[in-house]
């Protein structure tokens, strides 16, 4: 399978979703631009579907997280991902807003194919990560909040 994730520590920790990670302990192939490296499952949080991968890569650029106090209903949000088409791997952007906040889950106005959205970061307009995305059966995008992500990564 293939999927998305994002780097949360410069020493090789990568966050993704359970639906894009094989259930066995096989090495996972990671591509970042023209770089390729492998990673292994480091930690799982089954109730929120989070998976932390550990690679041997180092000195990696990392995302910044939004202050949870700055996340509120109606905020504009941005989903950035990759998809493969006849021209190869292409980036895409989808812009929407936060429809509801239910504890650790953020509901957006976005709709996306599940294999394109799962594991992608959800950004605020300042470029800070406010969550990690997944979709329901109808393609609506939800996100696990950055507050949960940060406590999981620590």
């Amino acid at each position: 399978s293939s999927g998305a994730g994002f780097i949360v520590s410069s020493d090789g920790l990568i966050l993704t979703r359970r639906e894009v990670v094989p259930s066995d302990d096989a090495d996972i192939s990671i591509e970042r631009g023209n770089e390729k490296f492998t990673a292994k499952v480091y930690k799982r949080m089954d109730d929120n579907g989070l998976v932390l991968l550990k690679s041997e890569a180092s000195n990696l650029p990392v995302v910044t997280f939004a202050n949870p106090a700055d996340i509120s209903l109606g905020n504009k949000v941005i989903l950035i991902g990759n998809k493969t088409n006849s021209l190869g791997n292409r980036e895409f952007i989808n812009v929407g807003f936060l429809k509801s906040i239910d504890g650790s889950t953020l509901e957006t106005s976005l709709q996306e194919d599940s294999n394109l959205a799962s594991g992608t970061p959800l950004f605020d307009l300042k470029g800070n990560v406010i969550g990690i995305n997944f979709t329901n059966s109808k393609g609506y995008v939800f996100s696990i909040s950055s507050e949960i992500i940060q406590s999981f990564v620590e």
Side-chain angles (χ1 to χ4, degrees):
S1 71
S2 65
F6 51 95
I7 303 165
V8 294
S9 73
S10 63
D11 63 348
L13 291 178
I14 301 164
L15 184 70
T16 191
R17 292 275 309 164
R18 69 175 157 229
E19 54 270 17
V20 300
V21 174
S23 58
D24 60 13
D25 288 332
D27 284 351
I28 298 163
S29 178
I30 306 288
E31 291 182 27
R32 182 180 161 266
N34 292 328
E35 291 179 87
K36 292 184 181 188
F37 48 94
T38 60
K40 289 196 175 286
V41 172
Y42 180 71
K43 186 161 121 177
R44 292 180 186 265
M45 179 186 268
D46 290 330
D47 56 337
N48 285 313
L50 302 178
V51 177
L52 196 58
L53 305 174
K54 176 68 172 134
S55 76
E56 297 302 319
S58 60
N59 296 321
L60 297 170
V62 298
V63 297
T64 56
F65 291 98
N67 180 339
D70 294 336
I71 301 171
S72 60
L73 292 179
N75 283 10
K76 279 194 173 182
V77 293
I78 303 166
L79 182 156
I80 299 174
N82 287 300
K83 60 183 170 183
T84 303
N85 61 23
S86 61
L87 301 174
N89 201 19
R90 298 287 180 239
E91 297 170 339
F92 71 93
I93 296 176
N94 198 338
V95 179
F97 60 91
L98 285 181
K99 286 177 53 175
S100 72
I101 300 172
D102 183 12
S104 64
T105 305
L106 311 172
E107 182 181 356
T108 74
S109 64
L110 303 171
Q111 244 185 317
E112 211 45 83
D113 186 313
S114 65
N115 64 348
L116 298 179
S118 288
T120 59
L122 188 67
F123 293 99
D124 64 15
L125 292 181
K126 296 177 183 174
N128 298 313
V129 171
I130 64 171
I132 185 169
N133 299 314
F134 64 98
T135 60
N136 68 9
S137 61
K138 295 181 181 177
Y140 289 101
V141 176
F142 294 81
S143 195
I144 300 298
S145 75
S146 59
E147 189 172 16
I148 298 298
I149 293 169
Q150 288 176 291
S151 66
F152 174 63
V153 170
E154 293 174 349

